[in-house]
């Protein structure tokens, strides 16, 4: 249901939120999140284009979150890479459904609306510091925090 | 979020629930649902293999629902063609998450659980006869109910 890209984007943001103390090279994030480096580079590019991650090349560069984890929602991360597309109009372009969707598409959209609500009310900080769950990614061998670009 | 295949399967089941009075050839279902016939054939095959649709070849054959629409949930239709995959174990296979998922995957699974609940509580009959919505697919030029195999 949720794409591989969404999963990887969330891992990257969670890792940056918990493990990075400054700009970090993609190699370390890939190692810490178990995401192939080339795939992760594209995901980070999308997150950067959306303004959620600051990416700088060269010496002293790397990737870091643009905002603190308690100001980033799960919905924002997912919408950066694989947006939840609400069904706001009839996919069949039926004229008689132009003002009101049919029962089938209303029900599908109800589920999407529900997902949006759950994810918009949950920040990266919430999932990282959920007292009822083990912290995400923690067992993965951490990449050194040393910069490597 | 929901795949094209899920959308098409739902259209097919809704159309069979509302327009068919017996076994119907794929041509008519394709016309009534605006789904390419070759794609629809594969979808109907999946629905048939899952027991939701009865498909018979030859004279007098065609496709029809195996149960009345008030006994078929949206969840069943979607799970026939593109199952909702709950996150019941750690996707990274972390040992320390084997008994309890982390906060990130718990939250993703919470959304999936929510979708399952919404769709398992809603039958095809419910979406077809929702008094607050126009009926699905109705404006599409109907395929004749005449058998054509």
């Amino acid at each position: 249901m949720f794409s591989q890209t969404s999963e990887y984007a969330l891992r990257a943001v969670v890792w940056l939120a918990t493990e990075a103390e400054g700009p970090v090279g993609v190699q370390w994030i890939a190692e810490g999140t178990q995401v192939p480096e080339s795939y992760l580079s594209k995901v980070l590019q999308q997150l950067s284009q959306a303004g959620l991650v600051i990416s700088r090349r060269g010496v002293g560069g790397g990737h870091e979150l643009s905002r603190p984890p308690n100001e980033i929602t799960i919905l924002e991360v997912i919408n950066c890479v694989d947006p939840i597309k609400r069904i706001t109009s009839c996919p069949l372009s039926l004229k008689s459904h132009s003002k009101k969707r049919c029962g089938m598409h209303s029900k599908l959209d109800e589920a999407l609306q529900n997902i949006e609500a759950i994810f918009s009310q949950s920040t990266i900080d919430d999932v990282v510091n959920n007292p009822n769950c083990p912290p995400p990614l923690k067992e993965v061998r951490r990449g050194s925090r040393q910069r490597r670009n």
Side-chain angles (χ1 to χ4, degrees), chain A residues 13-103:
Chain A
V13 171
V14 162
W15 192 90
L16 287 170
T18 54
E19 303 295 314
E21 290 174 348
V24 183
V26 65
Q27 306 93 322
W28 304 108
I29 311 172
E31 186 180 311
T33 56
Q34 291 189 15
V35 177
E37 197 175 311
S38 58
Y39 197 146
L40 187 63
S41 290
K42 289 173 193 162
V43 170
L44 286 167
Q45 199 176 11
Q46 287 177 281
L47 292 170
S48 175
Q49 281 167 349
L52 218 58
V53 161
I54 298 168
S55 302
R56 290 190 193 91
R57 291 186 183 182
V59 179
H63 307 275
E64 63 185 324
L65 296 181
S66 64
R67 279 179 273 150
N70 63 350
E71 292 178 14
I72 300 174
T73 67
I74 292 189
L75 184 64
E76 282 179 280
V77 177
I78 289 179
N79 277 347
C80 282
V81 294
D82 192 16
I84 292 173
K85 290 173 194 144
R86 294 283 303 277
I87 304 171
T88 53
S89 61
C90 176
L92 291 90
S93 303
L94 302 185
K95 277 187 191 168
S96 58
H97 295 185
S98 62
K99 290 193 179 160
K100 204 162 176 53
R101 294 154 308 175
C102 70

Side-chain angles (χ1 to χ4, degrees), chain A residues 93-121:
Chain A
S93 303
L94 302 185
K95 277 187 191 168
S96 58
H97 295 185
S98 62
K99 290 193 179 160
K100 204 162 176 53
R101 294 154 308 175
C102 70
M104 180 175 75
H105 289 120
S106 292
K107 185 55 72 176
L108 291 176
D109 189 56
E110 183 187 324
L112 295 171
Q113 188 179 26
N114 227 279
I115 296 171
E116 273 193 351
I118 291 172
F119 288 164
S120 68
Q121 287 157 18

